[in-house]
Amino acid sequence: MNDTIAGNLHVANDVLADMVGNAALECYGVVGMAAPNAADGIAKILPASRLRRGVVVTTTEVGVHVELYVVIEYGTNINTVSQNLVDQVTFALSEYARVPLDGVEVHVQGVKVRK
């Protein structure tokens, strides 16, 4: 598998969003993903089948820009969990998808006690 094949590989933003959502849920302190537009001001945890809705992936001239909307566990350090999320998502996108990264933003939509 060391052969190089000429050409370009294009990965859809939805595929990247699925990768990011799965990487985010593996982080300690993350309870779930939330919808980016909480109309009523209350963050609802999305079911696993809709992880993609808590992730916004946009393509810029520099690379891929990711915004995560998460609900974290009560009692965890928000800054530490956010930094772990950035590190995990950066690793997943750069190692597995091999896409250039423009940045990762974490939006904490709520805090919840894990059951």
Side-chain angles (χ1 to χ4, degrees):
M1 293 302 296
N2 290 333
D3 296 337
T4 304
I5 300 172
N8 294 324
L9 176 66
H10 298 280
V11 181
N13 284 352
D14 286 344
V15 173
L16 296 176
D18 284 341
M19 290 177 66
V20 169
N22 287 323
L25 284 183
E26 292 177 2
C27 286
Y28 175 78
V30 176
V31 176
M33 305 299 286
N37 52 357
D40 55 359
I42 299 172
K44 296 184 173 82
I45 296 176
L46 297 173
S49 62
R50 288 193 255 164
L51 287 179
R52 181 180 306 171
R53 284 187 50 206
V55 179
V56 177
V57 177
T58 53
T59 306
T60 64
E61 290 185 14
V62 177
V64 175
H65 183 79
V66 177
E67 292 184 54
L68 292 165
Y69 295 86
V70 296
V71 177
I72 65 168
E73 184 176 359
Y74 177 80
T76 57
N77 186 321
I78 294 173
N79 189 36
T80 304
V81 172
S82 297
Q83 188 58 50
N84 287 344
L85 272 168
V86 170
D87 293 342
Q88 187 81 11
V89 168
T90 301
F91 179 80
L93 290 180
S94 57
E95 290 299 316
Y96 300 137
R98 303 269 183 195
V99 294
L101 201 57
D102 182 25
V104 178
E105 292 181 28
V106 178
H107 303 276
V108 178
Q109 297 290 90
V111 178
K112 184 174 170 110
V113 176
R114 190 182 297 246
K115 294 180 182 181

